Amino acid sequence: MRPAGFGNFLLLACSLLFAGLSAVPQNFSPSLRSGPGATCRLSRAESERRCRAPGQPPGGALCHGRGRCDCGVCICHVSEPGVYFGPLCECHEWVCETYDGKTCAGHGKCDCGKCKCDKGWSGDACQYPTNCDLTKKKSNQMCKNSQDIICSNAGTCHCGRCKCDNSDGNGLVYGKFCECDDRECIDDETEEICGGHGQCNCGRCDCKVGWYGKKCEHPRSCPLSAEESIKKCQGSSDLPCSGRGKCECGKCTCYPPGDRRVYGKTCECDDRRCEDLDGVVCGGHGTCSCGRCVCERGWFGRLCQHPRKCNMTEELSKSLCESADGILCSGKGSCHCGKCICSAEEWYISGEFCDCDDRDCDKHDGLICTGNGICSCGNCECWDGWNGNACEIWLGTEYP
């Protein structure tokens, strides 16, 4: 015969046991250890497999790198309640998308790294209203950045809010006006963010100690000799960095820093060469590819400045091509539709009537205008950031 109250005691014991088991993670098994402090019954490989996200290869981060693996169970690093949580520490309350400085744009709640939007709102950051009552003009006005450019030319405007171009789903373009482009931090050679030596912050690299450069590509100490370094910077050019940059430890930093028009492993591409003195690219009739104009159909010339079709009579065309001495294009070019096309064989001939000799422009390091400006009838017109008779003086701050 059972003692009085034994049934109540058994019921209480079962309840406590159930409550205790329900409080541990789902992937925890009470049989993995024989007792407190006892050896884990799982092999190390099996224990780590249970702590690794599905699909991750052996050697991948355990518990998403946010906790420690204890016999197949993730113990999350918790500095504040709820910072990291989930069976594999996969949830983080701080990683939800933000808009205009507000998590989930203030129109939703963060749930395991993803926004759950309030009714009437959508988008990764709950930034888009379901119904829009703005005119297109008002919407576009709200999407303009400080330079009056809609979504920084890196996204589209939806009801006064920018949707950034991230067709590959990598999320590298972001910001209220799509002003941040972390693709600028990717090293062209290694395809790593900031060369693996920094952290990308709105398109700019914050380099670790011992590294510097636009993409943290330059070590402060270099294992190469000066000759080896210069040879790597030359490539097919006679000058290190094509005369348009600074060579350090075999890598080029193109000038001016931050100007996307000068690029390439040895700064060999200079898209400024596609611009005329007014800054118009390829005459508005083509695109620039590594410093050369690719003209649209119906246009030709170094700057796509000549239409193939001409509505002028030959007499009128020739009259517009005569120089002051009455000679057609100074005898150094041909006339097309009232404009002179200077001889391609004599590369140094330029000017409206082919009356200028670019060899008269000052040189530095063997380059006319040092490659940092345009020779305009015997005088160097320097690009922004450069000065001097041959545009040889860089006005900006040197890299450390």
Side-chain angles (χ1 to χ4, degrees):
M1 193 174 196
R2 290 176 180 170
F6 180 81
N8 292 336
F9 171 79
L10 186 60
L11 180 62
L12 177 62
C14 290
S15 298
L16 290 173
L17 178 61
F18 177 79
L21 289 177
S22 63
V24 299
Q26 292 179 1
N27 62 346
F28 180 83
S29 170
S31 62
L32 299 182
R33 293 186 187 275
S34 56
T39 305
C40 178
R41 295 187 180 185
L42 297 176
S43 67
R44 181 176 178 180
E46 176 61 18
S47 173
E48 291 184 353
R49 186 189 68 79
R50 294 190 182 202
C51 290
R52 196 176 290 118
Q56 268 198 322
L62 302 178
C63 306
H64 285 83
R66 299 167 175 167
R68 63 182 176 85
C69 183
D70 182 18
C71 198
V73 176
C74 283
I75 310 298
C76 303
H77 298 316
V78 179
S79 55
E80 296 177 23
V83 172
Y84 296 124
F85 56 100
L88 295 173
C89 307
E90 71 275 20
C91 298
H92 186 187
E93 288 181 347
W94 295 347
V95 297
C96 274
E97 294 285 343
T98 62
Y99 180 81
D100 200 15
K102 296 178 182 177
T103 301
C104 302
H107 302 298
K109 293 182 179 178
C110 187
D111 183 12
C112 192
K114 291 193 175 182
C115 290
K116 284 194 173 180
C117 302
D118 297 336
K119 188 176 180 181
W121 295 88
S122 64
D124 292 338
C126 303
Q127 71 271 45
Y128 304 122
T130 305
N131 298 313
C132 184
D133 56 1
L134 297 176
T135 63
K136 187 173 183 181
K137 183 178 180 181
K138 177 66 175 175
S139 175
N140 286 344
Q141 193 63 36
M142 292 172 64
C143 285
K144 288 183 178 179
N145 63 14
S146 57
Q147 285 80 42
D148 264 359
I149 301 173
I150 296 174
C151 300
S152 307
N153 283 336
T156 52
C157 185
H158 296 266
C159 200
R161 292 165 171 81
C162 289
K163 185 175 183 180
C164 305
D165 294 333
N166 278 302
S167 55
D168 48 9
N170 55 25
L172 293 177
V173 183
Y174 58 96
K176 184 178 180 180
F177 302 107
C178 303
E179 70 276 14
C180 297
D181 188 349
D182 284 358
R183 291 174 299 187
E184 293 298 311
C185 293
I186 298 175
D187 189 283
D188 296 328
E189 291 184 17
T190 65
E191 296 186 351
E192 289 183 293
I193 296 288
C194 302
H197 308 298
Q199 176 195 35
C200 191
N201 182 16
C202 196
R204 294 180 179 272
C205 286
D206 293 328
C207 302
K208 294 178 181 176
V209 175
W211 295 87
Y212 71 100
K214 184 180 177 183
K215 298 178 182 178
C216 305
E217 69 272 36
H218 299 306
R220 292 197 180 274
S221 58
C222 181
L224 301 176
S225 67
E227 292 77 15
E228 289 171 330
S229 176
I230 290 174
K231 188 175 181 180
K232 281 197 168 189
C233 288
Q234 279 181 312
S236 59
S237 172
D238 292 332
L239 294 173
C241 306
S242 307
R244 303 186 190 101
K246 182 179 181 180
C247 177
E248 288 184 304
C249 200
K251 291 201 174 185
C252 291
T253 299
C254 302
Y255 288 152
D259 192 334
R260 299 182 185 182
R261 296 174 298 177
V262 185
Y263 56 97
K265 189 176 179 181
T266 58
C267 307
E268 69 274 15
C269 296
D270 189 348
D271 287 356
R272 296 173 301 184
R273 294 187 174 277
C274 293
E275 301 177 6
D276 60 20
L277 290 175
D278 295 322
V280 179
V281 176
C282 299
H285 305 295
T287 55
C288 189
S289 176
C290 196
R292 293 182 179 272
C293 285
V294 180
C295 301
E296 296 172 355
R297 188 175 181 180
W299 294 86
F300 72 101
R302 188 177 69 84
L303 295 175
C304 305
Q305 71 271 42
H306 302 301
R308 292 196 179 276
K309 289 184 179 180
C310 182
N311 296 324
M312 286 185 188
T313 63
E314 188 173 353
E315 290 75 20
L316 177 59
S317 175
K318 285 184 177 179
S319 69
L320 294 173
C321 288
E322 289 182 358
S323 54
D325 54 10
I327 300 175
L328 195 72
C329 299
S330 305
K332 298 176 182 177
S334 59
C335 182
H336 175 76
C337 206
K339 291 190 177 182
C340 289
I341 302 175
C342 303
S343 171
E345 294 178 3
E346 296 176 292
W347 58 267
Y348 45 85
I349 299 300
S350 65
E352 185 179 358
F353 300 103
C354 303
D355 52 342
C356 300
D357 190 331
D358 286 352
R359 292 175 298 183
D360 292 338
C361 273
D362 289 317
K363 296 181 182 180
H364 182 72
D365 283 339
L367 291 176
I368 291 173
C369 302
T370 325
N372 300 315
I374 297 175
C375 183
S376 178
C377 264
N379 293 306
C380 289
E381 297 281 347
C382 303
W383 285 310
D384 289 343
W386 296 92
N387 204 347
N389 292 335
C391 306
E392 76 278 17
I393 302 171
W394 166 237
L395 300 176
T397 304
E398 289 284 338
Y399 275 99

